[in-house]
Amino acid sequence: MKALVYHGPGQKSWESVDDPKPVEPTDIVVRIDTTTICGTDLHILKGDVPAVTDGRVLGHEAVGTVVEVGSAVSTLAVDDRVIVPAITSCGRCANCKRSMPSHCLATGGIGWIFGHLIDGTQAEYTRVPYAETSVHKVPEGVSDQQVLFLTDILPTGYEVGVRNGGVKPGDVVVVVAPARVGLAAIQTAGLAGAASVIAVDLADSRLEHARRFGADYVLNGSADDLEDRIAALTTAGQGADVAIEAVGVPQTFDLCTRVVRPGGVVANIGVHGAPTTLHLEELWIKNITITTGLVDGTTVPMLLQLVQSGKVAGELFGTTSSGCTT
């Protein structure tokens, strides 16, 4: 089959590799119908994720069709359409039972294995371990593009941004650097009752997208009075209740810590490839909570229902060409 193969920082190629086969009885093989590129893939290509080694097939998000099932698989069948999420989980270990499959012990203590520790989804076919507790069937009448971003981007924005950030009714939320995962946080902040969402970015094009996804205010991050402008949009000018960092660079994380109110939350979504200074000499007195996290994907069934009902527009996140969505 053809696959996108990683060969070290900055090096990738589209080449022929062996077709995958079931290795364990709980495996399935999926023909990839639609896949996409995640910001994490870009971090891998920059060399920020050293666990990804030379020869690894990239990708951890896909919608596809089952073409082969292992002997222990009984609830999935050939020709089923399935969502293949970024997180693989056994459903039985201590961490899975704590609703934390991102650290599934059966997969080595990390649930994100596709395109990381095993070959991924930017290929014609992929092997899916622990298939019955990892994939989700696609309902009839729902397109690939509507559900593709349930594999990672939508649940990451919601779980790691909105939910970890503790967004509650009436909150003012700032999302800094809203690329796709930031847009997911913007789109799902309303599910938690956010009163207003402020998007901050250096690119006006991304700010236009932020408006489409539900941002109430957009601010260009190059403004000299940026922090004052954010404060003016918050309750009593104290700052955001929740500040969501969505790209993973020191400057944006630092901005989040400066624009959050006393007692507020900084929810870090971004993948950081360089050290970031944590100014505890300034933050200790503000009662700030900082959260981090890897998506668990436990909210995918709920988000899938919202996509089906039209409450969440999953198709807005990409444009499709030849089976690959960007």
Side-chain angles (χ1 to χ4, degrees), residues 74-133:
S74 60
T75 60
L76 297 166
V78 171
D79 293 332
D80 282 347
R81 285 178 67 218
V82 293
I83 301 167
V84 182
I87 300 299
T88 302
S89 60
C90 73
R92 301 177 64 181
C93 73
N95 287 343
C96 285
K97 288 181 178 180
R98 292 171 61 200
S99 296
M100 198 171 68
S102 57
H103 293 278
C104 176
L105 297 172
T107 58
I110 192 76
W112 169 42
I113 56 175
F114 288 122
H116 180 204
L117 305 179
I118 69 170
D119 287 340
T121 61
Q122 289 170 18
E124 293 181 279
Y125 297 89
T126 196
R127 177 180 72 91
V128 182
Y130 300 105
E132 291 183 304
T133 48

Side-chain angles (χ1 to χ4, degrees), residues 23 72 231:
V23 175

Side-chain angles (χ1 to χ4, degrees), residues 62-321:
V63 180
T65 303
V66 178
V67 296
E68 194 169 355
V69 299
S71 60
V73 177
S74 60
T75 60
L76 297 166
V78 171
D79 293 332
D80 282 347
R81 285 178 67 218
V82 293
I83 301 167
V84 182
I87 300 299
T88 302
S89 60
C90 73
R92 301 177 64 181
C93 73
N95 287 343
C96 285
K97 288 181 178 180
R98 292 171 61 200
S99 296
M100 198 171 68
S102 57
H103 293 278
C104 176
L105 297 172
T107 58
I110 192 76
W112 169 42
I113 56 175
F114 288 122
H116 180 204
L117 305 179
I118 69 170
D119 287 340
T121 61
Q122 289 170 18
E124 293 181 279
Y125 297 89
T126 196
R127 177 180 72 91
V128 182
Y130 300 105
E132 291 183 304
T133 48
S134 297
V135 306
H136 304 271
K137 290 184 181 180
V138 180
E140 289 293 330
V142 179
S143 70
D144 284 8
Q145 188 160 320
Q146 283 179 287
V147 296
L148 175 61
F149 298 96
L150 293 175
T151 58
D152 184 359
I153 290 164
L154 256 169
T156 295
Y158 179 61
E159 293 178 13
V160 186
V162 174
R163 197 172 65 173
N164 280 8
V167 177
K168 58 187 182 299
D171 277 355
V172 176
V173 178
V174 171
V175 180
V176 179
R180 285 189 300 178
V181 72
L183 294 174
I186 290 170
Q187 190 179 65
T188 57
L191 301 178
S196 63
V197 178
I198 305 164
V200 179
D201 203 287
L202 293 173
D204 288 337
S205 60
R206 283 198 288 270
L207 294 176
E208 290 175 12
H209 285 301
R211 281 197 185 278
R212 290 176 60 226
F213 278 78
D216 299 284
Y217 306 98
V218 297
L219 299 174
N220 193 292
S222 63
D224 292 336
D225 60 346
L226 176 63
E227 293 176 41
D228 290 337
R229 294 174 68 184
I230 292 172
L233 297 172
T234 67
T235 305
Q238 291 196 92
D241 298 288
V242 181
I244 297 176
E245 198 287 333
V247 66
V249 297
Q251 295 89 337
T252 52
F253 179 84
D254 190 53
L255 177 63
C256 285
T257 65
R258 296 199 307 272
V259 301
V260 68
R261 67 164 174 81
V265 180
V266 174
N268 183 90
I269 299 178
V271 176
H272 289 263
T276 298
T277 301
L278 183 62
H279 288 285
L280 287 177
E281 76 281 5
E282 299 172 3
L283 295 174
W284 72 271
I285 203 170
K286 291 183 67 178
N287 293 56
I288 299 298
T289 298
I290 297 173
T291 65
T292 64
L294 174 63
V295 66
D296 285 299
T298 54
T299 63
V300 170
M302 178 270 288
L303 292 170
L304 178 56
Q305 287 184 309
L306 293 175
V307 167
Q308 281 185 274
S309 67
K311 302 295 186 183
V312 170
E315 68 276 7
L316 289 181
F317 286 89
T319 55
T320 303
S321 176

